Amino acid sequence: MTQPSFGLIGLAVMGENLALNVERNGFPVSVYNRTAAVTEKFMEERAKGKNFTATYSIEEFVKSLQRPRKILIMVKAGAPVDAVIAQLKPFLEQGDMIIDGGNSYYPDTERRTQELEAAGLGFVGMGVSGGEEGALNGPSLMPGGTQQAYAELQPILTKIAAQVDDGPCVTYIGAGGAGHYVKMVHNGIEYGDMQLIAEAYDLLKNTLGLDHQQIHEVFTEWNTTDELNSFLIEITADIFRFIDPDTNLPLVDVIQDAAGQKGTGRWTVQSALELAVPIPTMIAAVNARIMSFYKEDRVAASKELPGPTGKYEGDTKEFINKIRDALYCSKICSYAQGMALLSKASKDLNYNLALSEISRIWKGGCIIRAGFLDKIKTAFRDDENLPNLLLAPEFKQSILDRQEAWRDVLIVANKLGIAVPAFSASLDYFDSYRRARLPQNLTQAQRDYFGAHTYERTDKPGAFHTEWTKVAEESLQTGTTD
């Protein structure tokens, strides 16, 4: 057996599947897991007869690898990653490299890259999207960090990544924490996308009264369209086919309406606030998950705070089409916000991100893969300095053609008391971005009034301050407001 140069630490489901993917593509793999029984089970079952080397200590694991060693860590983000790196470092040699394939917070990746590069080691913080199936059969990979380390890894990563019409779904993202930053924003877009789909489902069920089979048919049809064809729409359609064997009800109806989160959505919001980039759709999606956890409060409030009752009285098919159009417009806004955040981070964090290439590697393998990502790729390829996806000719026209339907859906939702925070936030984003003048002139006047923060004028340059109290008193004395 050829001595492997690639090793993997952490044999949970994602780790196992990535290891199997690497081995299947012709690269022998050494594996290590803190619990020996997990390694033994893997070797006896899924790895049996394959080109794997089992090890049972960090020292044995490192010694089993030929140089330059390529070590993928698949453990929980945070302190566990630092602990594994600390265990590895005494046994590594100059030129060896560590890859963190978890959902690490990008500042941690920045720190680890600096520390390990200073020690003569390579470090790659790599976002991995695609879930269990993607890890096994081809994920979207977002590696950043030491460029030389990526060059060594490239032959492996291009083989194990998802393959689409224009290449493997992997590219070098950028220095430091760039890979994990892009994966974080990917997850923020994912939050927005999932919330928008949930709101479309809520409208179909609670304004039109569609049952699970009808909703399955609607999402199945939507998945055949150029606009909404995507992995998330596909699995949503599939979900409505499942019947719970215990209750004989649609399984989705017996699932508790409290959604979990692991932090990447919150991190995206925090970063957007720090970089001063508006991402209201993603903020609404994070807030919706937080609100969902107040289950007991919501049940109690439902008995005290009645809202409108009734169903939509118009043409059902027509309104389904309007919901589809509203979903597509909102989805465009969600991606526009994500790409705008990446663009700002590229400049402020010196990542030099290629938005067209990032869009391309999201076309396959990842959770947000969708047919219209090819259009996003083309938009940024045609104009690298595109200020916002809403201004790309095709997307601009798509929204202009559908905005009336989008607005009609929100009117109906509000009238019937159906909360659609992400739909609403997306339309607010569109309406704010398209207006030449917003009411923040009043905000600036208020800030200057109570805090002397100054303001700028529309008719001449410079910073200005008004003695508002004095002016008000003089106006009262003279009886004028001039």
Side-chain angles (χ1 to χ4, degrees):
M1 180 185 292
T2 304
Q3 183 183 13
S5 65
F6 189 90
L8 182 139
I9 296 176
L11 289 170
V13 174
M14 285 291 288
E16 280 193 3
N17 284 357
L18 282 169
L20 289 164
N21 187 348
V22 172
E23 191 275 341
R24 187 182 67 249
N25 278 284
F27 303 95
V29 182
S30 281
V31 295
Y32 170 76
N33 195 81
R34 184 179 60 176
T35 305
V38 172
T39 304
E40 292 168 355
K41 184 174 185 292
F42 175 67
M43 295 300 295
E44 291 169 1
E45 296 178 4
R46 301 186 76 191
K48 189 173 183 179
K50 296 181 171 65
N51 204 350
F52 284 96
T53 299
T55 65
Y56 295 93
S57 72
I58 289 289
E59 183 175 7
E60 180 190 6
F61 171 75
V62 173
K63 288 181 176 179
S64 74
L65 298 168
Q66 62 174 306
R67 300 190 60 226
R69 303 177 179 97
K70 307 169 185 69
I71 299 170
L72 174 60
I73 300 173
M74 293 299 295
V75 300
K76 187 177 180 181
V81 176
D82 288 320
V84 172
I85 291 173
Q87 292 167 8
L88 285 168
K89 279 182 69 176
F91 304 107
L92 298 180
E93 300 172 78
Q94 189 163 347
D96 291 344
M97 64 205 71
I98 297 172
I99 311 105
D100 174 12
N103 274 335
S104 287
Y105 191 32
Y106 74 94
D108 291 339
T109 304
E110 299 274 0
R111 168 179 55 80
R112 291 165 186 149
T113 303
Q114 293 174 10
E115 291 172 356
L116 290 169
E117 285 181 346
L121 303 172
F123 186 73
V124 171
M126 183 170 72
V128 179
S129 180
E132 299 175 23
E133 182 182 345
L136 180 62
N137 297 314
S140 176
L141 301 173
M142 293 152 261
T146 309
Q147 190 162 11
Q148 180 56 39
Y150 173 74
E152 294 279 353
L153 289 165
Q154 191 173 9
I156 298 174
L157 299 183
T158 54
K159 284 283 188 70
I160 69 170
Q163 308 293 317
V164 293
D165 58 352
D166 49 7
C169 292
V170 60
T171 192
Y172 177 67
I173 299 295
H180 278 138
Y181 190 92
V182 169
K183 176 56 163 57
M184 177 191 76
V185 175
H186 163 288
N187 284 23
I189 295 171
E190 179 184 309
Y191 271 55
D193 216 345
M194 293 174 70
Q195 177 62 26
L196 291 168
I197 292 170
E199 291 175 16
Y201 149 66
D202 199 9
L203 289 165
L204 293 170
K205 181 177 181 180
N206 292 307
T207 65
L208 296 176
L210 302 191
D211 62 27
H212 69 283
Q213 179 59 31
Q214 291 170 314
I215 296 173
H216 161 73
E217 291 169 0
V218 167
F219 278 103
T220 299
E221 180 185 344
W222 287 355
N223 196 47
T224 66
T225 65
D226 289 339
E227 296 85 0
L228 294 180
N229 169 250
S230 67
F231 172 72
L232 284 170
I233 294 289
E234 177 186 341
I235 67 168
T236 300
D238 203 30
I239 283 168
F240 289 102
R241 295 174 55 244
F242 283 78
I243 301 299
D244 174 45
D246 295 332
T247 62
N248 206 35
L249 295 170
L251 179 57
V252 70
D253 288 348
V254 296
I255 295 176
Q256 186 67 274
D257 60 327
Q261 54 180 311
K262 292 187 176 180
T264 47
R266 183 179 72 251
W267 295 343
T268 305
V269 170
Q270 290 171 345
S271 178
L273 292 173
E274 290 165 359
L275 295 177
V277 178
I279 56 165
T281 305
M282 288 179 246
I283 292 174
V286 172
N287 283 339
R289 293 198 189 190
I290 295 170
M291 177 63 82
S292 75
F293 261 90
Y294 286 81
K295 177 65 175 180
E296 290 185 9
D297 289 8
R298 290 188 290 112
V299 170
S302 69
K303 299 170 183 175
E304 302 289 335
L305 301 172
T309 59
K311 302 291 182 186
Y312 179 69
E313 300 294 339
D315 182 86
T316 296
K317 180 62 177 176
E318 180 184 30
F319 195 61
I320 289 173
N321 290 337
K322 287 184 177 182
I323 296 172
R324 178 200 62 205
D325 289 345
L327 177 57
Y328 183 52
C329 291
S330 299
K331 186 183 179 80
I332 292 171
C333 288
S334 183
Y335 279 76
Q337 293 160 38
M339 302 312 283
L341 179 55
L342 290 177
S343 179
K344 189 67 157 51
S346 181
K347 299 180 181 74
D348 288 17
L349 303 179
N350 298 314
Y351 286 156
N352 299 312
L353 303 177
L355 300 187
S356 178
E357 184 67 355
I358 289 169
S359 304
R360 186 194 67 77
I361 67 169
W362 287 348
K363 285 169 55 178
C366 72
I367 302 302
I368 64 170
R369 62 185 185 266
F372 88 142
L373 274 162
D374 201 54
K375 298 176 182 178
I376 297 177
K377 179 199 78 172
T378 300
F380 286 107
R381 183 198 64 197
D382 292 348
D383 184 358
E384 292 181 359
N385 298 313
L386 183 68
N388 193 290
L389 196 62
L390 295 177
L391 298 177
E394 180 166 341
F395 292 112
K396 176 179 71 174
Q397 197 58 48
S398 291
I399 287 188
L400 293 178
D401 290 344
R402 294 167 174 81
Q403 66 168 312
E404 185 176 350
W406 192 10
R407 297 179 192 283
D408 286 347
V409 168
L410 265 67
I411 290 169
V412 171
N414 291 334
K415 185 176 180 180
L416 296 179
I418 305 295
V420 284
F423 273 26
S424 299
S426 299
L427 182 57
D428 289 343
Y429 178 78
F430 172 72
D431 279 337
S432 295
Y433 190 74
R434 69 176 183 79
R435 290 184 63 190
R437 188 164 173 83
L438 293 170
Q440 273 59 54
N441 53 319
L442 176 58
T443 304
Q444 285 299 84
Q446 292 169 327
R447 293 178 71 244
D448 189 56
Y449 193 116
F450 65 69
H453 293 293
T454 74
Y455 55 85
E456 294 178 341
R457 293 176 60 100
T458 61
D459 56 351
K460 51 188 173 182
F464 297 86
H465 169 62
T466 294
E467 296 291 342
W468 297 91
T469 305
K470 182 179 179 181
V471 170
E473 288 174 353
E474 289 176 352
S475 297
L476 286 172
Q477 291 172 2
T478 61
T480 69
T481 56
D482 294 337

